[in-house]
């Protein structure tokens, strides 16, 4: 069985944290789930867990959004 990563830990891995409080910005990941149908976390007791392939996909999405400056609709076109 592959190791599943909880949403807070994934936020830290992706460096999606509030710079002042160091709290994870989980709402960004939840928003990306709504926008990108490829992101499907496993729900266990109403908690989100991500498989390694989902983590890689989210890293790619963050790279396209933050580093390359694409919009959400632009990233959707790339992922088609």
């Amino acid at each position: 069985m592959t190791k599943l990563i909880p949403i807070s830990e994934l936020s830290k891995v992706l460096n999606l944290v509030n710079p002042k409080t160091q709290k994870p910005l989980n709402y960004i990941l939840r928003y990306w789930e709504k926008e990108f149908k490829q992101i499907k976390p496993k729900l266990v007791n109403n908690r989100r867990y991500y498989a390694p392939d989902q983590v890689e996909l989210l890293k790619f999405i963050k790279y396209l959004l933050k580093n390359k400056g694409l919009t959400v609709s632009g990233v959707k076109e790339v992922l088609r």
Side-chain angles (χ1 to χ4, degrees):
M1 184 176 164
T2 59
K3 183 178 181 220
L4 299 175
I5 300 173
I7 190 169
S8 295
E9 187 176 322
L10 180 59
S11 292
K12 292 175 185 173
V13 167
L14 294 174
N15 198 25
L16 296 173
V17 293
N18 184 325
K20 291 182 181 178
T21 62
Q22 295 302 312
K23 289 188 178 180
L25 302 175
N26 298 340
Y27 67 90
I28 295 173
L29 294 174
R30 290 192 299 270
Y31 173 73
W32 288 353
E33 281 176 31
K34 289 180 190 173
E35 293 297 319
F36 303 106
K37 301 302 177 200
Q38 298 89 341
I39 303 171
K40 301 235 189 280
K42 299 198 185 322
L43 292 175
V44 179
N45 295 334
N46 275 343
R47 293 181 183 232
R48 290 172 166 83
Y49 293 94
Y50 297 87
D53 60 330
Q54 296 285 302
V55 173
E56 293 305 314
L57 177 63
L58 284 161
K59 284 180 182 178
F60 183 61
I61 289 171
K62 181 184 181 231
Y63 170 76
L64 292 175
L65 288 170
K66 304 293 183 183
N67 296 19
K68 291 295 183 183
L70 290 176
T71 61
V72 170
S73 52
V75 174
K76 285 180 184 178
E77 288 294 319
V78 170
L79 294 178
R80 277 192 192 178

